[in-house]
Amino acid sequence: MWLPFNSKVWFYRQPIDFRKQIDGIVLLVADTLHKDPTSCQLFVFRNKKSDKIRMLYWEGNGFWLLYKRNEKSRFIFPGISNDAIELSISQLQWLLSGLDFIQQEEPEKLYFSRFY
């Protein structure tokens, strides 16, 4: 899977039924999040027990459905809510690593206008 660095990442804070497959998650993205599931954005979902993550991504001619299950630990999620929050790529990596992505600090962005 190729995920462009400029892709938006959306994390839906409400636990979903992990029996849903691609079509069910596509409907959730379109109807509940009011987002285009074919927009080349990554949509991240959690389960109730906080030990599983599903991610939906559209790549040109089809969907990717990715799944991660923690065997001995739980993911650290923010409070349950019916909204989605946008994550940076760093926050997504922290989340997938089991870190509290809300508590981590993004590195300062540097901008240069002169190069030597």
Side-chain angles (χ1 to χ4, degrees), residues 61-107:
N61 61 356
F63 285 103
W64 282 92
L65 183 61
L66 298 106
Y67 174 79
K68 182 170 183 179
R69 178 178 71 193
N70 272 348
E71 296 297 330
K72 292 188 176 185
S73 62
R74 306 240 184 258
F75 292 103
I76 301 170
F77 298 121
I80 293 174
S81 173
N82 280 329
D83 64 342
I85 56 175
E86 186 175 354
L87 303 182
S88 68
I89 296 297
S90 296
Q91 288 174 315
L92 176 62
Q93 290 171 331
W94 294 327
L95 171 62
L96 295 174
S97 297
L99 299 174
D100 185 349
F101 68 90
I102 298 294
Q103 298 296 322
Q104 303 296 320
E105 282 192 37
E106 288 279 348

Side-chain angles (χ1 to χ4, degrees), residues 2-46:
W2 176 73
L3 181 63
F5 286 106
N6 60 351
S7 289
K8 287 190 176 187
V9 177
W10 295 100
F11 173 66
Y12 183 53
R13 295 168 52 176
Q14 181 71 32
I16 68 165
D17 180 352
F18 266 48
R19 293 175 292 181
K20 288 182 190 276
Q21 296 299 315
I22 289 174
D23 293 338
I25 295 174
V26 165
L27 287 174
L28 177 70
V29 169
D31 294 345
T32 303
L33 301 180
H34 306 289
K35 306 247 182 250
D36 178 1
T38 61
S39 62
C40 297
Q41 298 178 68
L42 181 68
F43 300 95
V44 181
F45 303 92
R46 58 165 292 179

Side-chain angles (χ1 to χ4, degrees), residues 40-55:
C40 297
Q41 298 178 68
L42 181 68
F43 300 95
V44 181
F45 303 92
R46 58 165 292 179
N47 70 334
K48 278 186 184 179
K49 292 169 65 176
S50 300
D51 63 346
K52 298 174 186 159
I53 289 179
R54 278 213 168 158
M55 296 183 288

